[in-house]
């Protein structure tokens, strides 16, 4: 099978079940932004590959789980609202993010002011992933009634919180500096 089909050369793409839509359709933007988030999480993972600390495997496993769920969320978003979704996001996926956020947050210093995205390259990448997840959330809101599973919006909201804490957690364990926001500029 060839990687290119030429079927999108005129600005259209196929959703799951074959429905053709313009490539700038809000649904395509939503699942494309989830894919972008997923890729940035992958970059962060690659930057952790040669690092060592107790708990590293838990972080890697959690990020791989996020990548898998984001892939499925993208498939859910790529399914027309009048068709059956093959895999559906569940509340337990959001609950797992919250549990991990709470566990990792216990190891971190309490924030007393805003911080700038910074520190270890993996942490900085997770901050970028966080902002992309926020954009994915905004795009899914734009889908309106075409968003058939409201948990997708909730998951993306919680995911950005998770990625923020993950960035801080990585910085904490790898000595990355968290730069506070200065107000005297």
């Amino acid at each position: 099978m060839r990687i290119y089909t030429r079927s999108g050369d005129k600005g259209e793409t196929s959703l799951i079940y074959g429905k053709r839509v313009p490539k700038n359709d809000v649904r395509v933007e939503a699942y494309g932004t989830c894919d972008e988030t997923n890729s940035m999480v992958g970059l962060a993972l690659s930057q952790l590959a040669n690092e060592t600390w107790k708990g590293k495997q838990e972080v890697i496993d959690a990020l791989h789980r996020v990548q898998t769920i984001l892939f499925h969320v993208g498939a859910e978003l790529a399914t027309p609202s009048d068709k059956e979704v093959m895999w559906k996001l569940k509340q337990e996926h959001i609950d797992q993010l919250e549990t991990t956020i709470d566990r990792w947050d216990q190891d971190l210093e309490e924030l007393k002011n805003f911080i700038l995205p910074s520190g270890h390259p993996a942490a900085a990448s997770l901050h970028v992933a966080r902002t992309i997840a926020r954009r994915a959330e905004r795009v899914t809101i734009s889908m309106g009634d075409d968003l058939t599973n409201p948990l997708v919006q909730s998951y993306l909201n919680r995911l950005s919180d998770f990625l923020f804490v993950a960035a801080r957690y990585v910085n904490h364990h790898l000595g990355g500096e968290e730069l506070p926001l200065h107000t005297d500029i």
Side-chain angles (χ1 to χ4, degrees):
M1 182 174 146
R2 294 186 323 235
I3 192 69
Y4 60 91
T5 63
R6 298 186 179 121
S7 65
D9 289 354
K10 295 194 182 195
E12 287 191 343
T13 191
S14 293
L15 299 178
I16 293 177
Y17 294 107
K19 179 180 178 182
R20 302 288 292 173
V21 296
K23 288 186 176 184
N24 64 352
D25 184 274
V26 69
R27 182 176 293 284
V28 177
E29 184 66 29
Y31 71 71
T33 308
C34 287
D35 186 38
E36 192 178 341
T37 305
N38 201 339
S39 295
M40 188 54 67
V41 171
L43 178 63
L45 281 163
S46 73
Q47 293 162 330
L48 292 174
N50 295 322
E51 300 294 347
T52 306
W53 84 89
K54 182 181 176 187
K56 172 187 169 182
Q57 194 59 50
E58 178 189 7
V59 172
I60 288 172
D61 292 346
L63 292 173
H64 280 149
R65 180 168 179 74
V66 161
Q67 285 189 297
T68 300
I69 292 170
L70 273 172
F71 190 89
H72 287 296
V73 166
E76 187 169 347
L77 291 168
T79 303
S81 53
D82 62 338
K83 300 290 184 184
E84 185 178 338
V85 175
M86 293 181 239
W87 182 92
K88 198 165 184 160
L89 189 71
K90 300 177 185 134
Q91 181 62 44
E92 71 187 57
H93 299 115
I94 298 167
D95 295 343
Q96 288 168 344
L97 286 178
E98 290 175 352
T99 299
T100 305
I101 289 168
D102 292 343
R103 188 172 54 255
W104 290 352
D105 202 38
Q106 290 175 356
D107 285 356
L108 302 174
E109 287 185 34
E110 181 181 348
L111 282 177
K112 294 182 170 64
N113 55 348
F114 289 105
I115 58 170
L116 299 172
S118 56
H120 188 279
S125 294
L126 290 168
H127 278 297
V128 175
R130 168 185 58 81
T131 66
I132 299 168
R134 283 281 184 222
R135 181 163 29 97
E137 178 188 8
R138 292 190 303 271
V139 174
T140 60
I141 291 168
S142 298
M143 288 178 63
D145 291 339
D146 282 339
L147 181 63
T148 57
N149 183 356
L151 290 177
V152 168
Q153 188 175 314
S154 298
Y155 181 82
L156 293 171
N157 182 26
R158 206 71 74 253
L159 177 61
S160 62
D161 297 332
F162 167 84
L163 292 168
F164 177 77
V165 171
R168 293 195 68 220
Y169 192 73
V170 166
N171 270 336
H172 172 73
H173 285 283
L174 296 178
E177 183 179 6
E178 287 186 339
L179 299 175
L181 176 67
H182 292 287
T183 57
D184 59 340
I185 56 169

